[in-house]
Amino acid sequence: MSDEDDLEDFDADQDDLEKEEDERETEEWEDYRKEGEDLPEEWLPTPLTEDMMKEGLSLLCKTGNGLAHAYVKLEVKERDLTDIYLLRSYIHLRYVDVSENHLTDLSPLNFLTHLLWLKADGNHLRSVRLNELPYLQVASFAYNQITDTEGISHPRLGSLDLKGNRIRMVTGLDPQKLISLHTLELRGNQIETTLGINLPKLKNLFLEIKDTGPKTR
């Protein structure tokens, strides 16, 4: 199946999930946020370990010239992780889920140049700035503390989920670089204007414009 077919399937699945689970998911994450307000800002350092990697790795595939094999999928959800530095060494990963941890930095992902799919929901990210990842098609950073949309320049990115963050204005989404982006999820932010959203392939845009009240003269 081609990458384009994969993305079409993803769109259909995402639409169904939005209709069926959006309200429930929002309520759950609001509870999560309220619980987090009572917790200290500094978490006990919990780095990703080799043992965690062994438990979370799956999907053995051919790599390179087809003579070698490596696991290309990693799921390490709800591990209280504060550091994923170890991922720098796992350059063959294509699917990564690091949701529901305490991450503030995703820079080790810059080394995963074969990455196709990324989910980092429910962390403590303030930025999604990464180096250009040439094959990344789907990325989700929902329910973090992200304040801007700078540093997103992945040419094959088709679906980007930023709902439930602290974004007020969309900036840095370069239409010359984001030539494949067709689905952008921005609900649950504090968006005041659609300025900055000028993407050639965009078909699905989900957002709520914040009501700033009556204008004074």
Side-chain angles (χ1 to χ4, degrees):
M1 183 180 290
S2 68
D3 292 342
E4 185 175 347
D5 292 337
D6 288 341
L7 284 173
E8 289 177 356
D9 292 341
F10 173 84
D11 289 339
D13 293 342
Q14 185 188 46
D15 290 342
D16 291 340
L17 288 173
E18 287 290 347
K19 293 176 182 177
E20 297 174 2
E21 301 181 4
D22 191 61
E23 291 184 2
R24 178 181 61 79
E25 184 185 58
T26 300
E27 291 177 1
E28 290 176 353
W29 280 102
E30 284 300 323
D31 292 340
Y32 172 85
R33 276 184 160 184
K34 290 177 181 178
E35 291 174 3
E37 290 175 357
D38 298 328
L39 296 171
E41 292 185 2
E42 295 298 328
W43 296 87
L44 189 66
T46 307
L48 182 63
T49 65
E50 292 286 359
D51 287 339
M52 292 180 189
M53 293 295 297
K54 290 177 182 178
E55 293 176 11
L57 285 170
S58 62
L59 194 58
L60 189 64
C61 292
K62 292 181 179 180
T63 63
N65 59 10
L67 300 178
H69 291 76
Y71 289 105
V72 299
K73 183 177 181 180
L74 175 68
E75 181 178 303
V76 282
K77 298 169 57 177
E78 299 179 326
R79 296 298 190 100
D80 294 331
L81 294 174
T82 59
D83 178 4
I84 54 172
Y85 182 84
L86 187 60
L87 288 186
R88 294 163 59 105
S89 302
Y90 288 80
I91 60 173
H92 297 297
L93 285 173
R94 301 175 193 171
Y95 309 91
V96 172
D97 188 345
V98 290
S99 299
E100 299 169 49
N101 286 292
H102 309 310
L103 300 174
T104 59
D105 176 29
L106 295 180
S107 60
L109 298 178
N110 289 327
F111 292 82
L112 308 186
T113 55
H114 298 281
L115 195 63
L116 298 172
W117 184 94
L118 171 63
K119 189 172 184 180
D121 298 352
N123 282 283
H124 299 284
L125 302 172
R126 296 184 181 276
S127 172
V128 291
R129 186 182 294 275
L130 289 168
N131 294 346
E132 182 178 304
L133 297 172
Y135 302 109
L136 185 64
Q137 298 176 27
V138 178
S140 182
F141 306 99
Y143 305 105
N144 278 277
Q145 300 169 17
I146 297 163
T147 58
D148 63 65
T149 54
E150 297 286 341
I152 303 171
S153 58
H154 318 296
R156 298 191 184 184
L157 185 64
S159 178
L160 175 62
D161 190 342
L162 291 165
K163 67 174 170 283
N165 281 285
R166 301 177 181 178
I167 301 166
R168 293 182 179 273
M169 183 176 293
V170 177
T171 59
L173 298 185
D174 187 345
Q176 301 298 318
K177 294 182 178 179
L178 294 172
I179 56 176
S180 304
L181 190 61
H182 56 74
T183 300
L184 178 59
E185 170 64 87
L186 288 166
R187 283 177 289 191
N189 283 281
Q190 301 171 17
I191 304 292
E192 299 175 353
T193 175
T194 57
L195 291 176
I197 304 176
N198 180 27
L199 301 163
K201 295 292 183 66
L202 194 63
K203 296 179 180 179
N204 305 303
L205 174 61
F206 305 98
L207 61 76
E208 303 156 343
I209 299 297
K210 181 182 177 183
D211 185 2
T212 56
K215 302 295 183 180
T216 58
R217 295 185 177 178

